[in-house]
């Protein structure tokens, strides 16, 4: 039965995907008499956590409108929550106090919270207050499903780097543009919309300066995520911009350059109130950029680079395998050919196939005639 109720909690947690950063996505269900009687999920940072939402829902269903928790209501009830309840004060009070006050007979937890201010402290608090606690076995498939919900959060709090998805639309022979640099459009409209939704779930989008100049993209969130204002990070040293470019529609943009950027261009950005920061002497060191983004609250990044940026990223990843976590490739049923056509990943590459980067999890989906390939490189 634990698996059934935890799977429902996972479904609820995913409702918060793309909205809760820098917090994790969490779902909770309350079970009594073998039935789900209340449920909740964390909807956004600063709002009630999943456990509190579920507790309040159960009280409202019972006609209790006070702020005080009625313990008798939760007698013999079990709380299922995907992540260890917090034991520290953040934007909201510690959840463990409310869970303890409710007097649940048992709390089933999907995984321990890797955040150092919580890690194990929530479990200890509940046990000290007489509540039976069970944690899903970490090596189980169910625990893997729980962890899958919060890959960006887990990576950020454990490694200090944002979770990175690299996206590309390409032909079957791996080309993203012809030899004349024509690329509109390789994939179909539904694929392009799907990729924008995937982008919208992230905190920031990274793009190469040449791609910005060529395409003048808006890089905005869409659909249910339309209210989000994604940070746009433009990578390059020779980006002589037009202030009317869509990427500069507001100040939520960062120019990531190296010390080699001409002072004339740097001044032009600064005079236009555009943030400019160097991440290397002769070229942008992408790991430095990613660490900087993580320190500034970015948990997940979506890379829409051209061949050059993708190549630099993968070349760095060969030395540090924790930079690129996921590839999202939209394959169109087209063949482009041409030695001078742009491949999806440029750079230096590898000499031996044995040095290639392996995909550990793969998913496929047809979008009309396009194939969406979702490949996981790192699972945390």
């Amino acid at each position: 039965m634990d698996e059934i109720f935890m799977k429902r909690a996972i479904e609820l947690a995913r409702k918060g995907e793309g909205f809760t950063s820098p917090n994790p996505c969490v779902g909770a269900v309350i079970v009594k008499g073998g039935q789900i009687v209340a449920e909740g999920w964390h909807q956004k940072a600063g709002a009630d956590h999943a456990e509190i939402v579920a507790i309040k829902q159960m009280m409202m269903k019972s006609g209790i409108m006070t702020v005080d928790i009625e313990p008798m209501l939760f007698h013999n009830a079990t709380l299922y929550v995907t992540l260890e309840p917090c034991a520290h004060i953040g934007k909201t009070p510690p959840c463990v106090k409310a869970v303890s006050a409710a007097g649940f007979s048992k709390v089933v937890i999907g995984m321990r919270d890797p955040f150092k201010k919580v890690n194990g402290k929530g479990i200890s608090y509940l046990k000290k207050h007489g509540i039976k606690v069970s944690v899903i076995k970490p090596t189980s498939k169910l625990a893997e499903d729980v962890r899958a919900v919060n890959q960006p959060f887990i990576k950020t709090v454990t490694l200090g780097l944002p979770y990175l998805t690299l996206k590309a639309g390409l032909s079957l022979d791996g080309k993203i543009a012809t030899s004349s640099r024509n690329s509109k459009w390789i994939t179909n409209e539904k694929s392009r919309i799907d990729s924008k939704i995937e982008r919208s779930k992230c905190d920031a989008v990274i793009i190469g300066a040449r791609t910005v100049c060529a395409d003048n993209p808006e890089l905005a969130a869409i659909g249910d995520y339309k209210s989000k204002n994604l940070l746009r990070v433009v990578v390059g040293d020779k980006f002589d911009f037009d202030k009317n470019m869509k990427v500069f529609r507001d100040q939520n943009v960062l120019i990531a350059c190296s010390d080699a950027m001409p002072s004339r261009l740097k001044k032009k950005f600064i005079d236009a109130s555009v943030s400019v920061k160097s991440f290397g002497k002769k070229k942008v060191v992408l790991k430095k950029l990613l660490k900087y983004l993580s320190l500034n609250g970015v948990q997940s990044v979506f890379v829409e680079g051209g061949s050059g940026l993708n190549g630099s990223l993968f070349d760095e990843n060969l030395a540090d395998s924790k930079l690129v976590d996921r590839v999202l490739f939209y394959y169109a049923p087209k063949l482009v050919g041409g030695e001078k056509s742009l491949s999806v990943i440029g750079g230096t590459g590898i000499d031996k196939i044995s040095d290639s980067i392996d995909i550990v999890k793969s998913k496929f989906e047809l979008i009309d005639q396009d194939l969406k390939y979702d490949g996981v490189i790192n699972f945390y």
Side-chain angles (χ1 to χ4, degrees):
M1 295 296 286
D2 282 356
E3 184 171 353
I4 293 173
F5 298 129
M6 187 57 72
K7 282 186 174 181
R8 175 55 185 164
I10 292 170
E11 289 178 2
L12 292 167
R14 288 203 175 276
K15 289 177 178 286
E17 196 173 29
F19 296 105
T20 63
S21 182
N23 292 348
C25 298
V26 184
V29 297
I30 298 173
V31 175
K32 195 169 183 178
Q35 301 293 322
I36 294 176
V37 292
E39 55 187 34
W41 71 91
H42 184 42
Q43 297 185 16
K44 64 178 181 179
D48 284 338
H49 291 188
E51 307 95 309
I52 308 304
V53 175
I55 288 170
K56 286 182 177 180
Q57 186 188 96
M58 188 163 176
M59 290 173 63
M60 287 181 65
K61 282 184 174 181
S62 301
I64 301 173
M65 306 303 292
T66 66
V67 294
D68 296 323
I69 295 174
E70 176 51 63
M72 286 303 296
L73 185 62
F74 301 91
H75 183 65
N76 289 330
T78 299
L79 172 67
Y80 289 82
V81 61
T82 55
L83 187 70
E84 176 183 5
C86 65
H88 68 295
I89 297 175
K91 292 182 179 179
T92 58
C95 290
V96 287
K97 289 190 175 181
V99 174
S100 177
F104 288 99
S105 61
K106 184 179 179 182
V107 175
V108 181
I109 296 170
M111 65 172 282
R112 285 172 64 126
D113 190 334
F115 184 43
K116 63 182 180 181
K117 287 187 177 180
V118 181
N119 199 345
K121 296 182 179 68
I123 294 170
S124 295
Y125 185 98
L126 295 176
K127 287 181 176 179
K128 285 178 182 177
H129 287 76
I131 297 176
K132 185 179 179 182
V133 178
S134 173
V135 181
I136 299 298
K137 188 177 180 181
T139 55
S140 67
K141 177 62 170 64
L142 184 58
E144 183 179 308
D145 293 342
V146 169
R147 296 182 73 83
V149 178
N150 280 311
Q151 287 294 287
F153 174 75
I154 296 170
K155 183 183 180 184
T156 300
V157 300
T158 55
L159 297 181
L161 289 167
Y163 188 86
L164 190 149
T165 297
L166 187 146
K167 167 262 175 181
L170 61 162
S171 64
L172 283 179
D173 54 341
K175 305 297 183 181
I176 60 172
T178 66
S179 57
S180 64
R181 300 304 183 258
N182 178 260
S183 61
K184 291 184 178 180
W185 293 106
I186 292 177
T187 56
N188 64 46
E189 185 178 3
K190 287 184 179 179
S191 290
R192 297 196 298 275
I193 291 172
D194 187 86
S195 73
K196 288 177 182 178
I197 292 172
E198 291 280 4
R199 173 216 290 159
S200 300
K201 296 176 184 178
C202 296
D203 299 329
V205 55
I206 299 178
I207 191 167
R210 282 181 292 186
T211 304
V212 171
C213 291
D215 298 341
N216 190 24
E218 188 173 7
L219 304 179
I222 68 168
D224 294 339
Y225 307 92
K226 195 173 183 178
S227 61
K228 289 179 65 175
N229 189 12
L230 303 178
L231 172 65
R232 286 93 61 198
V233 182
V234 182
V235 179
D237 292 324
K238 300 176 181 179
F239 183 26
D240 198 351
F241 74 103
D242 175 348
K243 65 180 181 181
N244 293 316
M245 281 182 167
K246 295 174 185 176
V247 75
F248 298 118
R249 63 185 177 274
D250 58 41
Q251 293 185 342
N252 197 29
V253 58
L254 169 68
I255 304 301
C257 65
S258 73
D259 294 347
M261 173 177 268
S263 56
R264 173 187 63 83
L265 291 181
K266 201 172 287 187
K267 183 179 184 302
K268 191 175 178 181
F269 282 116
I270 294 170
D271 289 347
S273 299
V274 176
S275 296
V276 183
K277 187 170 178 60
S278 174
F279 296 95
K281 291 185 177 181
K282 295 183 179 180
K283 66 175 184 177
V284 175
V285 179
L286 293 167
K287 184 174 182 178
K288 287 184 178 180
L289 168 60
L290 294 171
K291 277 188 170 292
Y292 173 82
L293 293 176
S294 179
L295 287 170
N296 285 274
V298 173
Q299 274 192 0
S300 54
V301 296
F302 198 77
V303 176
E304 296 199 34
S307 181
L309 177 58
N310 293 347
S312 296
L313 188 56
F314 269 84
D315 286 345
E316 276 195 45
N317 197 81
L318 293 171
D320 187 339
S321 62
K322 299 300 182 182
L323 296 187
V324 183
D325 301 301
R326 176 185 178 221
V327 292
L328 193 57
F329 287 171
Y330 294 84
Y331 286 96
K334 299 172 181 175
L335 299 172
V336 173
E339 290 183 0
K340 294 183 180 180
S341 297
L342 285 182
S343 296
V344 63
I345 299 173
T348 304
I350 59 174
D351 293 324
K352 297 181 294 183
I353 292 297
S354 58
D355 293 331
S356 61
I357 296 170
D358 293 328
I359 306 294
V360 298
K361 294 174 182 287
S362 296
K363 289 192 296 186
F364 303 88
E365 178 186 349
L366 275 177
I367 302 178
D368 280 349
Q369 294 301 306
D370 289 354
L371 176 68
K372 178 183 179 181
Y373 175 74
D374 189 339
V376 173
I377 296 171
N378 295 311
F379 188 81
Y380 301 98

